[in-house]
């Protein structure tokens, strides 16, 4: 196919515009693997890219969409051949390299991961960047030495994409999970994923003390800013917090108190340029450890032509769990 359907972000005099139109394959960027995209997903960063609310897009025109699953159509890479099922997350796709909201993508083979045994393409994008990030958080906490017997695990932004998968993964691994959310109506949903306690996000979203009562042994934080500061303040001695998001903000108004008085560790999670061995290990863990019933409970589906209507909703916290985008 020389032309295919794609969402395209183009620069305008007043900012940017998003259109669903035909795109010429000759205008795809350099790469040694061409993939027929079958599924993508909707992440917070995709919402920013589609709306222009933050300068996520750094090249115009840009096809947004930071992750996809699909089938290799052509390859000059030694590890991939036509017909191979693959996954891509990160590497600037949808930001500096033409992305996933299209019927075709051309990328570097070194960015790809083979679809693990036990997952199909739809499952892979039900997990997507958000679920993959949640697994990296769990792996970082385990590498730190944290174990379920140490105490509860807190998850902030629990009804969002990263949070939903983190709740399910931690519960499956044996942790008592405290799920923090601002959506009062999501208690049944979160308990269904494995949460044993629901915490109103209002308890964490306003400035607090440098040190608070020790309440959780570990945490997965996708919110940042004041929330992350309060999470650190409430973490038990020698506990750890995996930080992977900035829904509330990029700032961190905290003090050294949790670090030098309780020995709390702050573990940064980079899901964009993760080295391939860790990337493949995370996907293998997701294929084996993530409960499929929980995954199905947190997943909805939209066709590619309608993905734009979710951009503002995900930024305002109106999207629950995971959304799979089906590509014709």
């Amino acid at each position: 196919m020389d032309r295919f359907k794609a969402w395209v972000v183009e620069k305008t005099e007043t900012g940017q515009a998003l259109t669903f139109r035909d795109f010429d394959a000759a205008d795809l960027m350099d790469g040694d693997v061409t993939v027929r995209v079958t599924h993508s997903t909707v992440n917070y960063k995709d919402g920013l890219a589609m709306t222009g609310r933050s300068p996520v897009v750094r090249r115009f025109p840009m096809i947004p969409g930071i992750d996809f699953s699909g089938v290799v159509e052509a390859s000059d890479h030694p590890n991939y051949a036509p017909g191979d099922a693959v996954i891509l997350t990160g590497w600037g796709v949808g930001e500096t390299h033409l992305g996933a909201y299209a019927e075709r993508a051309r990328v570097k083979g070194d960015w790809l991961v083979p679809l693990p045994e036990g997952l199909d393409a739809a499952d892979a994008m039900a997990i997507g960047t958000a679920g993959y990030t949640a697994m990296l958080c769990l792996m970082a906490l385990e590498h730190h030495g944290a174990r379920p017997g140490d105490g509860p695990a807190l998850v902030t932004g629990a009804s969002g994409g990263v949070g939903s998968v983190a709740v399910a993964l931690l519960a499956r691994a044996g942790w008592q999970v405290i799920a923090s959310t601002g959506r009062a109506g999501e208690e049944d949903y979160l308990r269904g994923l494995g949460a044993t306690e629901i915490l109103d996000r209002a308890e964490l979203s306003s400035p607090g003390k440098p040190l608070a009562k020790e309440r959780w042994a570990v945490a997965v934080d996708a919110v940042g800013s004041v929330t992350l500061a309060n999470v650190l303040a409430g973490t038990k001695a020698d506990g750890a917090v995996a930080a992977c998001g900035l829904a509330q903000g990029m700032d961190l108004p905290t003090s050294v108190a949790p670090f030098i008085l309780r020995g709390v560790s702050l573990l940064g999670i980079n899901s964009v340029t993760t080295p391939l061995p860790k990337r493949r290990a995370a996907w293998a863990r997701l294929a084996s450890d993530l409960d499929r019933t929980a995954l199905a409970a947190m997943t909805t589906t939209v066709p590619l032509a309608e993905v734009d209507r979710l951009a503002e909703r995900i930024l305002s916290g109106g999207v629950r769990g995971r959304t799979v985008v089906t590509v014709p």
Side-chain angles (χ1 to χ4, degrees):
M1 292 176 62
D2 293 328
R3 297 182 69 79
F4 54 86
K5 290 292 186 182
W7 283 101
V8 183
V9 176
E10 295 176 283
K11 196 166 186 62
T12 67
E13 291 184 0
T14 57
Q16 66 177 53
L18 178 69
T19 57
F20 190 53
R21 64 173 176 83
D22 288 339
F23 195 88
D24 196 321
D27 294 329
L28 287 172
M29 297 173 69
D30 290 343
D32 51 9
V33 179
T34 301
V35 178
R36 176 172 58 84
V37 178
T38 62
H39 299 81
S40 185
T41 183
V42 184
N43 301 282
Y44 192 85
K45 189 180 286 186
D46 297 320
L48 293 174
M50 286 189 283
T51 61
R53 293 257 296 272
S54 182
V56 168
V57 175
R58 296 191 291 277
R59 174 202 185 274
F60 296 93
M62 174 55 61
I63 297 174
I66 65 171
D67 47 10
F68 65 72
S69 56
V71 178
V72 173
E73 285 195 330
S75 174
D76 292 321
H77 192 281
N79 292 347
Y80 298 101
D84 289 347
V86 293
I87 302 169
L88 182 139
T89 61
W91 301 109
V93 169
E95 302 173 70
T96 58
H97 191 96
L98 296 177
Y101 291 166
E103 294 174 336
R104 297 292 183 279
R106 184 181 298 138
V107 297
K108 295 182 179 180
D110 290 343
W111 296 348
L112 297 169
V113 173
L115 183 70
E117 185 176 349
L119 288 182
D120 62 26
D123 284 341
M125 285 300 102
I127 295 167
T129 293
Y132 163 66
T133 301
M135 177 54 81
L136 290 178
C137 290
L138 175 59
M139 291 168 61
L141 293 171
E142 291 174 345
H143 183 74
H144 179 76
R147 296 294 180 266
D150 298 339
L154 172 71
V155 177
T156 64
S159 54
V162 175
S164 292
V165 181
V167 169
L169 287 172
L170 287 162
R172 182 79 177 266
W175 290 88
Q176 176 189 341
V177 181
I178 303 171
S180 171
T181 181
R183 306 183 206 175
E186 300 290 19
E187 179 171 350
D188 289 345
Y189 165 71
L190 292 168
R191 290 191 184 276
L193 296 181
T196 56
E197 182 180 342
I198 308 300
L199 180 68
D200 190 328
R201 73 178 177 200
E203 293 190 37
L204 300 173
S205 59
S206 298
K209 298 177 180 179
L211 283 178
K213 179 182 177 181
E214 298 178 54
R215 300 175 66 181
W216 37 80
V218 300
V220 173
D221 176 66
V223 179
S225 191
V226 173
T227 295
L228 177 53
N230 287 323
V231 170
L232 290 164
T235 302
K236 292 185 175 185
D238 298 316
V241 177
C244 62
L246 43 69
Q248 189 178 11
M250 292 186 66
D251 60 322
L252 181 55
T254 188
S255 74
V256 298
F259 309 116
I260 66 173
L261 298 181
R262 289 188 182 159
V264 172
S265 295
L266 179 58
L267 312 176
I269 305 300
N270 166 28
S271 64
V272 177
T273 57
T274 314
L276 185 58
K278 182 187 287 188
R279 190 175 289 265
R280 295 185 71 155
W283 278 104
R285 286 281 303 273
L286 286 160
S288 63
D289 295 2
L290 182 58
D291 182 87
R292 295 298 188 280
T293 302
L295 184 62
M298 68 178 79
T299 303
T300 56
T301 302
V302 298
L304 178 64
E306 298 178 16
V307 73
D308 61 320
R309 65 185 177 86
L310 297 179
E312 290 288 354
R313 284 182 57 197
I314 196 167
L315 297 183
S316 64
V319 174
R320 172 207 272 183
R322 306 291 299 126
T323 302
V324 172
V325 179
T326 57
V327 182

